[in-house]
Amino acid sequence: MENATLQRNNFFPALSHPDVSFLTAPHTQKVQTLVIYSRANCEFRQMSHGWNETTDRRLKLKMRVWIFFLFCLAGKTLAAPTEEEPVVEEELEVGANPVQVETGEFDEAIEVVEDVIAENPCLNHHCKKGKVCEVDDSNQPMCVCQDPLTCPAPVGDFEHVCGTDNKTYESSCHFFATKCALEGTKKGHKLHLDYIGPCKYIAPCMDNELNEFPLRMRDWLKNVLVTLYERDEDNNLLTEKQKLRVKKIYENEKRLQAGDHSLDLLALDFEKNYNMYIFPVHWQFGQLDQHPVDSFLSHTELAPLRAPLIPMEHCTTSFFEQCDADQDKYIALEEWANCFGIKEQDVDKDLVI
């Protein structure tokens, strides 16, 4: 065995050379297989043709060429797979092109953004009081009655409101949610917000008191406009057209200053300075005529004005009922102006600005 090993190492000195120690087992095995095949071929030639020195030299020369060829082949075989094999393994682990993975993740992110937008069609959808927006099966926004239980709890009694059914509601949210649930019923048709605050006893309005109410109301509207004009430093309280109208009232030396005036003085001032009151009456109508803008005031549109007034002015309800001369549940501009003593020829829709 030692002789055979020694003979093999002498015959193939390159296999025992320390410089080939970098060969990995698979590569070494490939080289050894080729060398063994070459040696067997050589021994077969010795048995067939006999052995002589000439043949020996030729064989040694051929074997040197073979060994050189084999090590060149081993070097190429060793160098090439080391760069390719990790790539193959990574592809097998990932299972997809890395570029495709990144593109897919980016596309998915876009889809998520689109889904968020699609899932919020209610963002720009307006619902009237008492209703909230929900999405139907086709992802379209629709207004449905709000559950009163979802309304925020009131902070104090000042948030309570009184309905025309003489019932106190915790807040305006609770009231309108309840009214919405009664839509289509006789009770729901008659139910309106009466005034701000808990329900309380409201004294009946006498005829003489009802006649005095427009005097105070006209003066109050005029003073409200003058106050807005004085405080409108940021130009967000009145429009430029409104300012031009109010400026004439503000700069008029004959203007009756705000104060607690007698009814006789208010009546006299209205007679002498009638033109000062024309625009304030038209302005207030325009502030209320919003949903929709149609030159008619509904009970709901009147609510922002009448609801705070009723607890302080017990003739408020009677006054607005009287304004509706044709009893059609709506107050037209002409009816409104007449209630405040504005002459028919002075009623002008262009002043509703």
Side-chain angles (χ1 to χ4, degrees), residues 146-152 174 177:
Q146 182 178 2
D147 185 350
L149 296 177
T150 63
C151 292
H174 290 82

Side-chain angles (χ1 to χ4, degrees), residues 139-260:
N139 203 38
Q140 296 299 316
M142 62 178 181
C143 294
V144 298
C145 289
Q146 182 178 2
D147 185 350
L149 296 177
T150 63
C151 292
V155 178
D157 291 346
F158 62 89
E159 291 191 39
H160 294 172
V161 298
C162 183
T164 51
D165 57 353
N166 201 34
K167 178 182 176 181
T168 300
Y169 295 84
E170 294 185 43
S171 67
S172 60
C173 175
H174 290 82
F175 169 79
F176 286 110
T178 302
K179 178 176 171 61
C180 182
L182 296 173
E183 276 187 353
T185 65
K186 188 176 181 179
K187 183 179 180 180
H189 181 71
K190 292 183 177 181
L191 181 61
H192 299 287
L193 182 90
D194 201 7
Y195 53 88
I196 304 298
C199 293
K200 65 179 183 179
Y201 172 75
I202 303 293
C205 179
M206 301 291 103
D207 290 342
N208 63 315
E209 294 175 323
L210 184 59
N211 293 332
E212 297 168 355
F213 185 85
L215 296 174
R216 295 192 301 272
M217 190 72 174
R218 279 193 306 250
D219 187 61
W220 177 73
L221 291 177
K222 181 196 66 178
N223 292 330
V224 167
L225 269 177
V226 171
T227 303
L228 291 176
Y229 178 82
E230 292 174 333
R231 298 180 179 179
D232 194 16
E233 297 178 356
D234 299 327
N235 298 318
N236 58 0
L237 300 177
L238 297 172
T239 65
E240 291 301 321
K241 289 184 178 180
Q242 290 171 345
K243 282 185 178 181
L244 291 175
R245 296 281 182 178
V246 181
K247 183 179 180 181
K248 295 179 181 180
I249 302 174
Y250 178 76
E251 295 178 347
N252 195 321
E253 295 180 356
K254 296 180 180 180
R255 173 172 61 87
L256 182 65
Q257 300 295 320
D260 187 11

Side-chain angles (χ1 to χ4, degrees), residues 121-141:
C122 287
L123 290 178
N124 297 318
H125 190 75
H126 176 73
C127 294
K128 68 178 184 179
K129 292 180 179 179
K131 291 191 175 186
V132 292
C133 181
E134 290 186 359
V135 179
D136 60 16
D137 295 337
S138 59
N139 203 38
Q140 296 299 316

